[in-house]
Amino acid sequence: MKNLWLFLVRYNAFFWFVLFFGFSIFLVVQNNNYQRSAFVNSSNVVVGYFYEKVNAWKTFLQLSITNEQLAQENALLRAQLLEQHTEPEVLSPIQVADSSTLSRYEFIVANVVNNSIHQKSNFITLNKGSEDGIEPDMGVITSNGIIGTVLNVSKHFSTVKSLLHPDTKISVSLNNSQVFGSLVWGNNTDSRFAMVRDIPNHVKVHIGEPVFTSGYSTKFPKGIKVGHILETDITSGDSFKDIRILLTTNFANLNFVYIVKDKQAKEKIELESLNKDNG
């Protein structure tokens, strides 16, 4: 306290100068229209610039919240699209909707908290679990394509068996025919490519032709775009061939995903199990 007092005494002339200088400016601005107007305009510029910078920082810090809100809205829109009788070329990436999809699917937004793409068997961890209604065997997609299938679930997390896994097999169809095949990662080592197997040899396929989910399983709705054909007529047997595709999903850059909840899955699985019991 003594040092502060000595400092003020030592520099009292400077502080008096600042005080009187500020007071004189106040009097000039207060009693002269031109100076008052100039001061107000200058103050608005400075304050406006300050608020602009503060708002930019606040916006940056809230990006994660904004992204999550957008993902929630996208999930709602995706569900609504499936309820519409829309022409295939209008929907993207979900290309087909019919009356059987009416209110059938719900999309739950999740955030990727761990992801592998360079292993022989790749898995993804999501921040949604049983508390959020997640169950094993649910499909997982992005706005660009498919991701994989839920494998294990805890209260707050779930692990996904990625498409980049040797045991993952998804039913798909070709765009220009009613032919179906199995989408697998195959012997690829690159996360950008996959294989479609069991295509009959007589079927003509074209490079660039899109490939979609078939809708035969309860994991994925019909018509989700999974990729484009890169290479055709890869021989796999006397009656069938394989084709190589470029995936629409960028597995190296995953953030928000959608877990597909099929509200009719249990009914379908229970009915189909009767066929096995009677067989």
Side-chain angles (χ1 to χ4, degrees):
M1 187 67 183
K2 181 179 179 181
N3 291 335
L4 177 61
W5 175 253
L6 291 174
F7 175 79
L8 293 175
V9 170
R10 183 175 181 181
Y11 295 101
N12 68 89
F14 172 77
F15 290 116
W16 281 113
F17 169 76
V18 172
L19 179 62
F20 283 120
F21 182 75
F23 184 67
S24 63
I25 291 178
F26 170 76
L27 291 176
V28 170
V29 171
Q30 186 69 19
N31 297 289
N32 295 275
N33 292 332
Y34 174 78
Q35 283 80 359
R36 183 166 61 251
S37 176
F39 177 79
V40 171
N41 289 336
S42 300
S43 299
N44 288 339
V45 171
V46 174
V47 173
Y49 177 80
F50 174 76
Y51 281 139
E52 182 182 11
K53 293 302 180 183
V54 170
N55 185 65
W57 275 104
K58 289 173 63 178
T59 302
F60 176 77
L61 294 175
Q62 293 175 349
L63 279 178
S64 60
I65 299 175
T66 302
N67 287 338
E68 185 170 357
Q69 290 174 342
L70 289 174
Q72 295 285 356
E73 291 178 3
N74 287 340
L76 179 61
L77 290 173
R78 184 180 295 276
Q80 291 174 347
L81 281 173
L82 280 174
E83 295 180 3
Q84 304 300 319
H85 295 272
T86 311
E87 292 299 324
E89 63 270 18
V90 175
L91 294 174
S92 177
I94 298 179
Q95 298 291 325
V96 178
D98 54 38
S99 58
S100 64
T101 63
L102 185 61
S103 301
R104 176 175 174 177
Y105 296 100
E106 177 184 348
F107 298 91
I108 303 171
V109 179
N111 186 257
V112 175
V113 296
N114 194 22
N115 180 25
S116 65
I117 62 173
H118 299 299
Q119 308 299 321
K120 291 183 179 180
S121 301
N122 294 285
F123 298 91
I124 299 169
T125 305
L126 307 178
N127 68 341
K128 293 294 176 69
S130 58
E131 197 173 63
D132 305 288
I134 309 304
E135 300 176 358
D137 291 329
M138 286 183 173
V140 183
I141 65 175
T142 67
S143 57
N144 296 318
I146 59 174
I147 297 297
T149 306
V150 174
L151 184 63
N152 296 306
V153 179
S154 67
K155 187 176 181 180
H156 299 108
F157 296 94
S158 56
T159 55
V160 176
K161 184 170 64 176
S162 170
L163 173 61
L164 312 180
H165 189 288
D167 294 337
T168 299
K169 184 182 291 185
I170 298 170
S171 177
V172 294
S173 62
L174 304 185
N175 185 51
N176 294 328
S177 65
Q178 297 299 318
V179 175
F180 302 94
S182 297
L183 176 67
V184 297
W185 195 31
N187 56 359
N188 288 286
T189 57
D190 194 318
S191 62
R192 297 174 298 171
F193 307 104
M195 305 293 294
V196 177
R197 291 181 171 166
D198 303 326
I199 300 298
N201 277 328
H202 70 273
V203 175
K204 297 295 183 181
V205 294
H206 308 282
I207 293 176
E209 182 179 343
V211 180
F212 302 94
T213 52
S214 66
Y216 278 2
S217 73
T218 59
K219 297 179 176 67
F220 302 100
K222 180 181 179 181
I224 297 179
K225 196 175 193 178
V226 301
H228 297 86
I229 296 175
L230 282 181
E231 188 177 355
T232 64
D233 300 331
I234 303 174
T235 303
S236 62
D238 294 335
S239 303
F240 298 95
K241 60 185 174 183
D242 297 343
I243 59 177
R244 190 166 183 253
I245 71 168
L246 174 67
L247 295 171
T248 53
T249 300
N250 183 2
F251 282 88
N253 186 27
L254 292 179
N255 189 3
F256 289 99
V257 299
Y258 305 100
I259 303 171
V260 182
K261 184 175 182 180
D262 185 350
K263 300 175 184 178
Q264 299 177 7
K266 185 176 180 181
E267 177 186 351
K268 182 175 182 290
I269 293 173
E270 289 179 351
L271 178 63
E272 292 177 344
S273 67
L274 297 176
N275 299 333
K276 299 178 182 178
D277 295 338
N278 296 331

